[in-house]
Amino acid sequence: MIDHLVGRPNPSWKRTQVYLVILFWVWRIVRGSSGPPRLLFLPRVNRTLQRFTPWQIILTTLTSLYAIRNMDKILGLEAPEPLARLYSPSYYRATWIVTGLDAGFATAMAIRPKWLRDIASLVFSVYYMLYAQEADEKLRRFRAVPTIEMLRTTWEKTTNPYIKFLTHLRAPRVSIRRRVHLPRPKTSSYDRPITAWLYFAPPEDQLVSQTELILDFPGGGFIAMNPEHHEERLRMWAKSSGRPVLAIDYGKAPEYPYPFAIDEAFDTYRVLVESNGTLIGLGGSKLSIIMSGDSAGGCLAVNIVLKILEERNMKTSKPINLPLPTAVVLSYAALDFNFTSWMTNDNLRVLRTEQSSGNIPGLKELAEQKDHLKHVSPLSMVRDSKPFSQRKQLKRRPSWKDALRGWASGGEDQAEEKRSRRSSLNWRTPARIADKQERRSAGDEGSLADNETSDDEDFNEYPEQDRPIRARVLYKYPNGGDGAEGLPRSKSAVERQQLALSVAVEQANTKAIQDIAGDGSFKPREPIGTRLTMTSRTGYFQDRIVAPSMMRAMAILYIGPHRNPDFYSDYHISPILAPAHLLAQFPPLLMQCGEKDPFVDDTVIFAGRVREAKRARKVELDLLLSGKSARFGEILRMSTAEVNIEGKSAAELKRERDKLVQESEEDWVQMVLFSDWSHGYLQMPTLMHEATAVIEDLAEWMDDAFIRYRPSELEWRPQGEGAYEGPGIVPPRSFAQGTNVEAIS
């Protein structure tokens, strides 16, 4: 209550209130009279209670307090439970445990040393599992202004030695579990080696004979978690498939912002293909790769395919001959960064113009709030607590003795003490920081106090958790800076208008193709839901695993200070926007997601776009081979030896058309939605046996995909500009088998 009266709630006032209440009642118990104060009926009640034992009184008091705290439930006045029918019972139990662990680990985050923090994290977690509502409230407050330490602490729980010991007991044993380092390709612009973890279950001497590899990119919101946090799933895949599993520990933001992780993932795939796996101990005769990725890792896996296809389409003298992976497995992939919270470039330009004019008071401070990277938390809208605030709090306040001594000496003692304090501060910190700290200690906390954090300030003396996001970036791009040349900038309004018009032209062309092909009859379809259909991110904003504030924080940290992508057209940051001519060349896809996942729209829309692109491509190839233009139905007058406008010969077009004709849409994309599940179930095999079944089914699907989609020698032969044909045509076993699974074709 004290903090509300003061008008500035903070943990210090809350702690003071708790201390005052405890001290008052301890004083009342120890120093007060044995009886109650003579007020109203209290003496009579005290005489009545004297016939009860102390044990009965204590239990009665605790029971009464519990009844009072839950009076709304007794009277049926409690608030509705929004998650009562949202999740399945098994998934809800798993989220209850995960929420308790997150709250416990977040509470113990500031405890030092590490051994005590590890024990306290488990003790607090048990408490929050017993009091689930307090756990939800604790996490709500932490996630309101999340820091990178908070996100990593709550997501990387399996690094706790006690939890790690339990998961290792359950995980299957493998013969090889080692960290490996891969060099960058010679043409790469990066020099940081690639770090990966290799898992292999059969005897170690059989690794050299392997020609098939599962390449995994683990999720973690682009900012946290490495393969060790997904180890239970990776071990199960290695054991079930009998093949090597290579999981990549790619660079995480904010230290390595966008597009570092995408480039590192592409360099990984390229160096593995060019070496045929010899860098990790494979034989090197040939190599077939199935890529997998969950959450953020799914975005990286899709970007690898997109970059391979882009390299094929580049008209260069030395094309990069990279084959596509045999198949791609995506689990609840994050494929769309078009959050409604992004400020448009035009509005940001107006805000900057108004700020520079200086006509509106307070606008400068408002504009500074938009710089999320200068704070410790990317969602912070207030000043951060300074690293040296602890010293300021511990400074002894001047007493009446100091005042008397100052009057007697004419102020010389106070001046000398101030000089000695400044000299001791300068001995520990640089002069610039000492001066700023001195100004803060003198009471300089006006409206412009936040301007003390400048871009050129030296944060090396600050603890890691006290540095702003911009100071934590390790990889700074060449020519870096928001205004540097050569960096992709957002498109103007005219360019976006042209992009929208080009999309409209493409839609009209697709309709013309369908009319020419004789399939121009369009049947009216029933609308999905209502005319105002919310996105999954908006619909499931109370998700217990991925909260909206966490998604915004991840996006800000991932983008970093060097790039300003166009969220309406950049398909590398939002692969869901990839052009149709690239999607038409995708390898077989298996996409799965929870039905209640905030990213479920990404899975459904991306799968639908791939299918639509392949359908349109098949019709386009039919028209090209028949001698008509796919756009306008014109006669091309092209002989079989001639090359069409795409740079491919008629034989190449025929091979591509025949492959699409012989494949079914299930060969293109298989999509599976798990009823009443949300995000992150692949990391819950210890908490729910259904997740274990899903992981094993994924391993079986990849086993079949290696066999069914194995490319022939002809298909691996370079075509045209060094491009490779896609994999085979035999469909794999359908993944959608078993219970609690809904397959959408």
Side-chain angles (χ1 to χ4, degrees):
M1 184 181 69
I2 297 179
D3 54 347
H4 293 84
L5 292 175
V6 174
R8 189 178 295 275
N10 59 70
S12 177
W13 281 113
K14 296 180 186 295
R15 191 182 305 110
T16 303
Q17 177 180 338
V18 172
Y19 286 157
L20 291 177
V21 172
I22 293 176
L23 290 175
F24 172 78
W25 287 111
V26 169
W27 170 81
R28 186 66 180 82
I29 293 173
V30 175
R31 305 293 298 178
S33 61
S34 59
R38 299 181 179 279
L39 296 176
L40 302 176
F41 52 87
L42 290 181
R44 185 183 307 173
V45 172
N46 183 65
R47 288 193 298 269
T48 304
L49 294 177
Q50 286 178 352
R51 64 189 182 92
F52 295 99
T53 63
W55 175 250
Q56 291 174 318
I57 295 175
I58 292 174
L59 288 182
T60 303
T61 303
L62 295 178
T63 304
S64 302
L65 290 176
Y66 182 80
I68 293 173
R69 291 183 60 183
N70 295 274
M71 188 61 66
D72 58 339
K73 300 180 179 62
I74 296 175
L75 300 178
L77 303 176
E78 73 275 12
E81 176 54 58
L83 305 178
R85 293 182 298 274
L86 183 64
Y87 302 134
S88 65
S90 60
Y91 187 85
Y92 187 87
R93 282 193 297 269
T95 60
W96 160 60
I97 297 175
V98 171
T99 302
L101 289 171
D102 288 348
F105 275 69
T107 303
M109 181 174 56
I111 295 179
R112 302 291 185 273
K114 183 181 183 302
W115 65 268
L116 182 59
R117 180 171 68 251
D118 293 335
I119 298 176
S121 298
L122 296 182
V123 174
F124 294 154
S125 298
V126 172
Y127 168 80
Y128 284 116
M129 289 180 193
L130 297 177
Y131 297 93
Q133 293 182 351
E134 283 76 3
D136 290 331
E137 178 64 17
K138 173 74 75 169
L139 272 188
R140 184 190 66 81
R141 297 194 178 197
F142 270 110
R143 290 173 175 174
V145 190
T147 63
I148 186 64
E149 280 75 26
M150 177 264 166
L151 295 174
R152 289 175 175 172
T153 299
T154 54
W155 288 352
E156 298 176 352
K157 299 179 289 291
T158 52
T159 55
N160 184 286
Y162 307 103
I163 297 180
K164 189 175 184 179
F165 175 75
L166 295 177
T167 55
H168 277 204
L169 290 179
R170 177 180 172 83
R173 295 186 178 275
V174 294
S175 61
I176 296 179
R177 176 195 177 270
R178 70 168 68 114
R179 178 185 294 169
V180 296
H181 296 284
L182 307 177
R184 294 277 186 165
K186 295 180 179 179
T187 58
S188 176
S189 58
Y190 302 90
D191 54 6
R192 178 180 183 264
I194 301 167
T195 304
W197 284 85
L198 179 64
Y199 301 90
F200 188 61
E204 187 171 355
D205 56 359
Q206 297 183 16
L207 179 63
V208 71
S209 62
Q210 297 294 318
T211 60
E212 297 168 342
L213 174 68
I214 298 175
L215 180 61
D216 183 75
F217 296 93
F222 303 100
I223 62 175
M225 304 175 69
N226 56 48
E228 291 186 280
H229 302 102
H230 299 254
E231 190 162 310
E232 194 170 358
R233 165 175 60 89
L234 300 173
R235 284 172 175 257
M236 293 175 64
W237 280 356
K239 185 70 174 179
S240 300
S241 65
R243 295 176 174 84
V245 178
L246 187 69
I248 308 303
D249 184 9
Y250 51 88
K252 307 299 190 301
E255 290 82 5
Y256 299 95
Y258 168 83
F260 188 94
I262 295 176
D263 296 336
E264 186 172 16
F266 179 70
D267 287 347
T268 303
Y269 182 83
R270 181 176 174 184
V271 77
L272 287 173
V273 171
E274 291 177 349
S275 66
N276 278 336
T278 56
L279 293 176
I280 60 174
L282 303 185
S285 58
K286 57 181 179 179
L287 182 63
S288 178
I289 297 177
I290 285 183
M291 287 195 309
S292 66
D294 64 293
S295 191
C299 180
L300 301 182
V302 173
N303 267 285
I304 291 177
V305 179
L306 293 174
K307 290 178 77 67
I308 293 174
L309 296 174
E310 287 175 345
E311 295 288 348
R312 291 185 177 188
N313 296 333
M314 291 178 61
K315 305 298 182 181
T316 60
S317 57
K318 294 182 179 180
I320 300 177
N321 298 332
L322 281 180
L324 289 172
T326 302
V328 179
V329 178
L330 304 177
S331 302
Y332 39 85
L335 304 176
D336 189 6
F337 269 72
N338 284 309
F339 298 103
T340 56
S341 59
W342 295 116
M343 178 175 286
T344 63
N345 295 317
D346 292 338
N347 292 345
L348 185 60
R349 176 184 52 80
V350 173
L351 178 62
R352 289 170 176 168
T353 303
E354 292 296 317
Q355 174 195 359
S356 61
S357 64
N359 296 328
I360 304 178
L363 188 59
K364 180 179 181 181
E365 288 74 14
L366 175 63
E368 289 177 351
Q369 293 177 2
K370 305 300 181 183
D371 188 0
H372 303 279
L373 298 174
K374 79 173 184 177
H375 297 288
V376 173
S377 168
L379 300 183
S380 177
M381 302 298 290
V382 297
R383 295 192 300 271
D384 295 327
S385 59
K386 299 300 180 182
F388 293 97
S389 59
Q390 292 86 352
R391 296 183 183 178
K392 178 181 177 181
Q393 293 175 359
L394 294 177
K395 186 179 66 173
R396 185 174 66 87
R397 295 181 177 274
S399 63
W400 60 273
K401 296 180 181 180
D402 297 329
L404 292 178
R405 185 165 54 250
W407 293 340
S409 60
E412 296 178 359
D413 293 343
Q414 294 182 0
E416 180 64 26
E417 180 182 357
K418 185 175 182 180
R419 284 193 297 270
S420 62
R421 184 170 64 250
R422 172 174 292 187
S423 62
S424 62
L425 185 62
N426 290 341
W427 177 74
R428 295 177 178 268
T429 59
R432 182 170 58 232
I433 301 179
D435 293 341
K436 293 179 180 179
Q437 174 62 17
E438 189 65 29
R439 290 197 301 269
R440 286 195 294 270
S441 63
D444 184 11
E445 296 183 357
S447 60
L448 298 180
D450 200 28
N451 292 339
E452 295 173 353
T453 303
S454 60
D455 293 338
D456 59 348
E457 186 170 352
D458 184 11
F459 292 97
N460 293 330
E461 296 291 332
Y462 291 10
E464 185 73 16
Q465 64 271 16
D466 291 331
R467 300 179 187 179
I469 303 301
R470 190 183 300 274
R472 300 183 63 166
V473 177
L474 296 180
Y475 185 85
K476 295 178 172 57
Y477 288 91
N479 305 322
D482 290 341
E485 297 179 358
L487 296 181
R489 302 298 296 176
S490 299
K491 296 182 180 298
S492 64
V494 176
E495 291 173 317
R496 289 200 300 272
Q497 183 184 28
Q498 292 297 317
L499 178 63
L501 293 176
S502 64
V503 172
V505 171
E506 184 177 352
Q507 293 175 351
N509 292 338
T510 302
K511 181 178 179 181
I513 292 174
Q514 294 175 344
D515 292 338
I516 295 174
D519 190 22
S521 58
F522 297 95
K523 297 180 180 180
R525 298 181 179 180
E526 294 294 330
I528 299 177
T530 63
R531 294 181 62 208
L532 299 177
T533 303
M534 292 189 299
T535 63
S536 57
R537 286 177 175 81
T538 306
Y540 301 117
F541 62 91
Q542 297 193 43
D543 187 79
R544 303 193 77 182
I545 303 297
V546 184
S549 60
M550 296 171 63
M551 287 189 283
R552 293 195 299 271
M554 289 184 303
I556 293 172
L557 293 170
Y558 175 54
I559 294 168
H562 302 300
R563 294 292 195 271
N564 185 16
D566 186 353
F567 298 101
Y568 300 98
S569 63
D570 189 343
Y571 58 84
H572 285 295
I573 198 168
S574 295
I576 202 172
L577 304 173
H581 73 277
L582 296 180
L583 297 178
Q585 305 175 60
F586 256 66
L589 278 171
L590 170 60
M591 304 188 68
Q592 56 166 297
C593 190
E595 192 182 63
K596 303 301 191 296
D597 196 312
F599 297 105
V600 65
D601 284 354
D602 299 10
T603 296
V604 175
I605 295 175
F606 190 81
R609 290 206 62 217
V610 171
R611 277 195 283 261
E612 287 181 353
K614 288 183 177 288
R615 292 191 201 110
R617 179 60 177 171
K618 185 163 62 174
V619 174
E620 185 178 17
L621 290 172
D622 287 336
L623 295 176
L624 287 173
L625 293 172
S626 65
K628 295 182 179 181
S629 170
R631 293 181 177 271
F632 307 107
E634 299 172 347
I635 303 298
L636 294 180
R637 299 182 181 90
M638 179 185 68
S639 66
T640 58
E642 292 176 334
V643 178
N644 67 347
I645 57 177
E646 295 184 356
K648 295 183 179 180
S649 65
E652 293 172 329
L653 295 177
K654 187 175 185 302
R655 259 197 311 272
E656 184 181 355
R657 193 273 311 270
D658 292 342
K659 184 174 73 71
L660 288 174
V661 169
Q662 295 176 24
E663 291 176 344
S664 65
E665 291 195 1
E666 189 173 308
D667 300 324
W668 300 339
V669 183
Q670 288 190 40
M671 184 174 63
V672 182
L673 299 183
F674 296 96
S675 177
D676 301 331
W677 287 8
S678 180
H679 201 78
Y681 50 83
L682 290 184
Q683 291 183 269
M684 302 178 182
T686 304
L687 306 180
M688 48 189 298
H689 66 278
E690 295 91 341
T692 303
V694 171
I695 295 174
E696 293 176 349
D697 284 347
L698 282 173
E700 293 181 13
W701 188 92
M702 288 188 283
D703 287 341
D704 290 339
F706 274 122
I707 299 173
R708 306 289 185 174
Y709 295 135
R710 179 178 297 156
S712 63
E713 295 298 330
L714 177 62
E715 289 167 341
W716 284 110
R717 181 173 60 84
Q719 306 288 341
E721 293 274 338
Y724 288 82
E725 289 296 319
I729 60 173
V730 183
R733 177 187 66 84
S734 176
F735 178 84
Q737 297 178 2
T739 59
N740 196 32
V741 174
E742 178 184 357
I744 299 180
S745 59

